Amino acid sequence: MARVPSAVVAATGLVGGYGVARWTGKRQLGGVVLAVAGAAAAQQWRTRAGGRAAGALTAAYVAAFAGSHPLAKKVGAWPSVLGVAGAVAVASWTVADRKAA
């Protein structure tokens, strides 16, 4: 079975969480998507790069979520979400996925 890169899982969690919240009007449902994808990515990070890297990448994931809110006031919601998702994906690939490839 092919492995899905953790970078894809993390970026999908950020983009998907926002999209679900926006399209359903239920922020809690978007939060569930965000949390489930974050937990899945964290498990992959721990397996592929170790506990310290997983902790740092999890902190980056949470910071990206939090940081997307004030950034959205400056650049708009979708550009903000896509930007932070891209940043987390690059960090995830650099720290965990590149070694596994």
Side-chain angles (χ1 to χ4, degrees):
M1 176 186 258
R3 295 188 315 180
V4 176
S6 62
V8 172
V9 174
T12 300
L14 289 161
V15 173
Y18 174 69
V20 166
R22 178 157 181 157
W23 290 318
T24 65
K26 300 191 184 304
R27 294 178 69 177
Q28 298 87 349
L29 189 56
V32 169
V33 171
L34 180 79
V36 168
Q43 178 60 36
Q44 288 180 314
W45 294 329
R46 188 172 27 263
T47 300
R48 295 177 187 172
R52 289 182 70 176
L57 288 168
T58 300
Y61 185 81
V62 172
F65 167 70
S68 69
H69 292 82
L71 182 59
K73 292 179 181 179
K74 296 179 189 260
V75 300
W78 278 112
S80 172
V81 170
L82 294 173
V84 300
V88 169
V90 168
S92 179
W93 181 82
T94 301
V95 173
D97 296 333
R98 180 174 54 164
K99 296 176 184 177

